[in-house]
Amino acid sequence: MNFRLCSLLSLALLAACGTDASKNAEAPGGGALPLPLPNPSQSGPLERAADLDGRYVQSIRIKEGEFTATGPGQEVAMTFTAKGMDNVKQFEFRLEIDPAEALDFTASAFVATQPFLQPPPSGTELTNNGEWRIAGVILGDDPAEGDNALGTLTFKTKDGFDASTRVQVRITFFSVGPSYSDRDDYTANDLNMGITINK
């Protein structure tokens, strides 16, 4: 991808997905998004799917996978899918990592599934409160319809990680719709979704 295309894509995705100063800096209803969990064992079980019955998506799911790692520098992939999409041109997830120091943000990457594109270069952004934000946008005229994967976030484990390290990845926010100003927003309580690495 050349520099000009990369810059244009970055600007388009910034406009589509907003910044921390936007409405997405807060949960719907005006409250702040949840603070990091004190300990993965205190959070209760998380589901891999949520029925949303929204205007733009009927349900979202985390694809089954091997969410395990035994040492530093290893990859763990988390794939997101959606069912019943209707007029979808962009989406956003926010993720809470606990403990945050177990995963290497700079070495991790999100790749959106076509026809969506992810923000370059890594597809991930670290928010002011330490959450990971990933997003996808369609720049053409045709929206996504029906069932499809949204993309895959590949985590990289950090130094000190071993088989006994347990990491919870919780979805704290999901937003989807045809434009930045027209979306359905869902909070952590709406979703109760995530994975535990080395559960």
Side-chain angles (χ1 to χ4, degrees):
M1 184 180 294
N2 63 41
F3 177 77
R4 184 177 180 187
L5 180 58
C6 184
S7 298
L8 289 173
L9 182 58
S10 296
L11 290 173
L13 287 165
L14 182 62
C17 301
T19 66
D20 273 347
S22 75
K23 66 167 186 167
N24 292 333
E26 294 184 344
L33 288 169
L35 294 173
L37 299 169
N39 188 301
S41 63
Q42 298 175 5
S43 63
L46 295 174
E47 303 295 332
R48 301 273 176 86
D51 291 326
L52 306 176
D53 295 323
R55 293 178 296 164
Y56 304 116
V57 169
Q58 292 304 301
S59 64
I60 57 172
R61 178 177 298 274
I62 300 167
K63 188 176 178 180
E64 291 295 327
E66 292 294 325
F67 305 118
T68 59
T70 59
Q74 295 183 354
E75 294 183 346
V76 178
M78 183 179 183
T79 298
F80 303 89
T81 65
K83 288 188 176 183
M85 285 188 289
D86 181 17
N87 196 30
V88 172
K89 294 194 72 175
Q90 52 188 258
F91 65 84
E92 174 185 347
F93 286 93
R94 290 193 178 208
L95 307 171
E96 180 181 81
I97 314 297
D98 183 21
E101 61 273 13
L103 301 178
D104 189 341
F105 174 80
T106 59
S108 301
F110 176 70
V111 177
T113 302
Q114 291 291 329
F116 296 101
L117 298 172
Q118 73 279 352
S122 69
T124 60
E125 177 187 351
L126 196 62
T127 69
N128 291 336
N129 65 350
E131 292 178 329
W132 294 26
R133 179 162 60 184
I134 58 176
V137 64
I138 297 174
L139 299 181
D141 295 330
D142 297 329
E145 306 283 350
D147 305 344
N148 197 25
L150 298 176
T152 299
L153 176 59
T154 302
F155 302 104
K156 185 73 71 78
T157 58
K158 291 183 76 170
D159 291 345
F161 197 103
D162 60 31
S164 66
T165 305
R166 199 163 158 262
V167 184
Q168 186 183 83
V169 179
R170 186 183 190 205
I171 301 175
T172 60
F173 183 74
F174 173 61
S175 181
V176 63
S179 69
Y180 173 65
S181 61
D182 184 4
R183 293 197 199 177
D184 286 344
D185 296 343
Y186 303 92
T187 67
N189 289 336
D190 297 324
L191 302 167
N192 191 39
M193 287 183 66
I195 64 169
T196 300
I197 300 173
N198 292 338
K199 187 174 181 178

